[in-house]
Amino acid sequence: MLGRLTSAISNLTTSAGPAPEASHHGPVRVQAYSALAKKLQDDGVPVSLADCNACDNPCETTSNSDPSSAPEGRGSVAELYDGLSGGKSYEEYVNEKYGDLGELPKGFDMDWETDLYDSSKGGKGRIVVISTGKSDWERDHVDEKDSLAHHLDNVISSAPTPKAASTKPSNHSTLPYIAPSAFPAPSEPLTSPIPVQPSLYSSSLISQSDDPSDQTVLVFPDWKVTLEIENTKQGAQGLYDAQLDGKLGRAGKKLSEVNAKEVESGLDRRRSWVLPYRAIVLLCSHKKRDKRCHIAAPLLRSALHTVLSKYDIAIDEDGSSLAYLSDQGPALEEVEGDALEREKEVGRRIEAIEGVHGGEGGQVGVFNINHLGGHRYAGVMIVLFPSGAYISYGRVTPQEIPRVVEDTVLGGKIVPGLLRNAVGVARPTNSGSSANDTGIGAETDSSNRVASGKASDRGFLSW
């Protein structure tokens, strides 16, 4: 149905000036994004309709252009913000609300020609983010000798992969770049082994372990941090056996289940806690793979600071918020009970995170990571949520950060023009309402695009 969106962009010309395809807000590109938004919406994905001609109040003309040249009801980003900000274009809206967010350098070589959607395949298994305190690594980060990434990669490579479930989840999308989550929602036990081995990333996260030679590891979609991981093959094996094995749920293995050999090796020091963040943003900064990511990452980080602060959301850039989590109760390894009871405790702690279902406040973790693939689309990022949702975005510029924050972080909606792939975002559509009814659309007005926090506004933030 969609075909190649970019073929329409390259074959059509408009009065908006030369090369409109090299901008998210060119009228022809907006048409392509509208088609993609409609396709996502029809498939149960909560989606931003800022670009979409399927919105409840379609715009008749394009602002700042000849009304006779605009197809009736097409809609555009500029038109949406026209109505919200008193006749301002999107760029004017951003500048007025957030100030100058900066821009990528002149001549920055971003691929605007090929299809962005379906350009990434990640997120179907666990995501493991390892502390290194760095923002650049060897070309292949697991080649760094004596690093935890190197040890863990060897452990994963030799581990058997569990068989896939025989049935598809009820929220399975028909789109190849929208995958169902193989993991249950928070509070629910794992009923079928995870069929995909974990993906590893090295990050700028600074280890918060008591022993400076140990590493700190974030595990998604489990939404937890594990401290005191010994930087050895034995430490990597212990982490895999207790937290990453496909047969384990979010709560992991109990301390009482750790075997005598692990105790003798000191691996029982390992402790895990639920992450305190309402969302995590991972920015590729891997200079040895491609300098464009290294250039884009700090610009996007600066824009994230500016935009998130408008909603009283703090940013943790080094992991310092992970040092003291004992107010949650005992470490997850020390939580007793059967699998269901332990998963319910994880869910209870996740529900206690400020801003977990949208709205203002709380905290977001922002860390640099190694190569994500698709650096020709830099800036590239992954956005992760406690619900288990995973979204991979590309062609992100500082000017697009307001949409990442307003629509995705606060509202639980996909921004179609930035989408590479996503996991765990589709929602059932057989209840008589569209996927967007669970997004932020029902509670917006002319002065506020942020989710109100009501159950119907939560998009893929809910479970």
Side-chain angles (χ1 to χ4, degrees):
M1 177 179 175
L2 287 177
R4 290 183 63 82
L5 295 180
T6 50
S7 65
I9 294 168
S10 60
N11 290 334
L12 293 176
T13 60
T14 73
S15 60
E21 66 273 15
S23 165
H24 283 296
H25 308 304
V28 179
R29 188 171 290 276
V30 166
Q31 280 189 293
Y33 292 170
S34 296
L36 180 56
K38 185 63 165 61
K39 186 73 171 177
L40 291 165
Q41 186 182 25
D42 289 346
D43 224 45
V45 178
V47 61
S48 169
L49 296 180
D51 304 308
C52 191
N53 59 1
C55 66
D56 293 335
N57 297 294
C59 309
E60 294 183 358
T61 62
T62 300
S63 62
N64 302 321
S65 69
D66 178 5
S68 64
S69 67
E72 183 176 351
R74 185 185 69 201
S76 73
V77 173
E79 288 171 353
L80 177 85
Y81 289 91
D82 231 7
L84 292 176
S85 54
K88 303 288 194 303
S89 68
Y90 173 75
E91 290 79 6
E92 290 170 323
Y93 164 80
V94 168
N95 189 65
E96 183 177 276
K97 185 165 185 178
Y98 301 108
D100 183 5
L101 296 178
E103 57 186 19
L104 297 175
K106 185 176 181 180
F108 189 88
D109 184 20
M110 184 189 297
D111 179 356
W112 289 94
E113 301 299 323
T114 58
D115 287 334
L116 182 64
Y117 66 91
D118 205 19
S119 64
S120 177
K121 307 295 182 184
K124 296 180 182 178
R126 279 189 165 102
I127 306 297
V128 181
V129 177
I130 301 169
S131 64
T132 72
K134 301 190 294 184
S135 292
D136 194 24
W137 303 268
E138 296 294 332
R139 181 172 176 80
D140 191 333
H141 74 118
V142 300
D143 287 344
E144 295 200 4
K145 302 299 183 183
D146 298 322
S147 68
L148 183 58
H150 178 75
H151 296 309
L152 193 53
D153 182 61
N154 289 334
V155 169
I156 291 172
S157 297
S158 61
T161 301
K163 293 183 179 179
S166 57
T167 57
K168 293 180 179 179
S170 59
N171 62 347
H172 179 59
S173 168
T174 61
L175 300 173
Y177 44 90
I178 303 294
S181 177
F183 297 82
S187 294
E188 297 180 8
L190 187 69
T191 57
S192 180
I194 306 304
V196 182
Q197 290 288 17
S199 298
L200 302 182
Y201 294 99
S202 292
S203 77
S204 59
L205 173 70
I206 296 173
S207 177
Q208 302 298 315
S209 299
D210 292 335
D211 186 332
S213 66
D214 291 345
Q215 297 301 322
T216 295
V217 174
L218 312 184
V219 185
F220 307 99
D222 307 64
W223 211 252
K224 65 185 178 186
V225 55
T226 301
L227 305 173
E228 317 300 341
I229 304 299
E230 188 176 283
N231 193 8
T232 62
K233 184 174 181 179
Q234 291 77 17
Q237 186 68 60
L239 175 66
Y240 184 89
D241 292 341
Q243 307 290 349
L244 307 181
D245 189 298
K247 298 186 293 293
L248 296 171
R250 291 179 184 240
K253 184 187 288 188
K254 290 190 290 187
L255 184 60
S256 59
E257 297 170 339
V258 173
N259 61 47
K261 183 178 180 181
E262 289 178 322
V263 173
E264 291 174 2
S265 301
L267 300 184
D268 59 321
R269 295 184 292 112
R270 188 180 50 238
R271 291 293 183 274
S272 303
W273 311 87
V274 166
L275 289 167
Y277 313 119
R278 59 181 290 171
I280 295 273
V281 179
L282 302 175
L283 301 168
C284 179
S285 64
H286 201 163
K287 185 177 182 179
K288 287 187 176 67
R289 290 303 291 260
D290 195 281
K291 66 179 181 180
R292 287 171 290 189
C293 293
H294 191 74
I295 292 169
L299 298 173
L300 300 183
R301 179 189 297 272
S302 176
L304 281 165
H305 269 280
T306 299
V307 177
L308 287 168
S309 67
K310 289 288 186 179
Y311 302 100
D312 294 322
I313 297 175
I315 288 182
D316 182 7
E317 296 183 280
D318 57 14
S320 56
S321 296
L322 306 176
Y324 306 101
L325 298 175
S326 58
D327 58 345
Q328 293 181 4
L332 296 180
E333 290 85 350
E334 298 170 344
V335 174
E336 293 295 338
D338 60 21
L340 178 58
E341 291 170 328
R342 299 183 72 238
E343 295 302 326
K344 284 185 175 180
E345 174 61 15
V346 173
R348 182 191 69 77
R349 296 184 185 190
I350 288 176
E351 284 283 3
I353 298 171
E354 184 180 1
V356 70
H357 291 302
E360 300 190 9
Q363 189 176 35
V364 170
V366 179
F367 307 109
N368 291 344
I369 61 168
N370 65 280
H371 182 57
L372 284 174
H375 43 253
R376 66 186 184 275
Y377 301 120
V380 290
M381 64 170 58
I382 296 172
V383 192
L384 301 153
F385 297 90
S387 65
Y390 165 105
I391 299 101
S392 176
Y393 279 157
R395 292 187 186 134
V396 185
T397 70
Q399 285 289 309
E400 294 306 304
I401 290 298
R403 304 193 66 196
V404 173
V405 172
E406 293 178 5
D407 291 330
T408 301
V409 174
L410 299 178
K413 289 182 178 181
I414 294 289
V415 179
L418 306 180
L419 179 65
R420 300 186 66 199
N421 83 305
V423 176
V425 297
R427 294 295 182 261
T429 58
N430 58 1
S431 61
S433 61
S434 71
N436 242 55
D437 291 335
T438 62
I440 63 174
E443 293 294 327
T444 57
D445 58 36
S446 61
S447 61
N448 183 17
R449 303 183 62 234
V450 180
S452 70
K454 294 174 64 176
S456 62
D457 300 330
R458 295 170 179 174
F460 51 69
L461 304 180
S462 287
W463 52 88

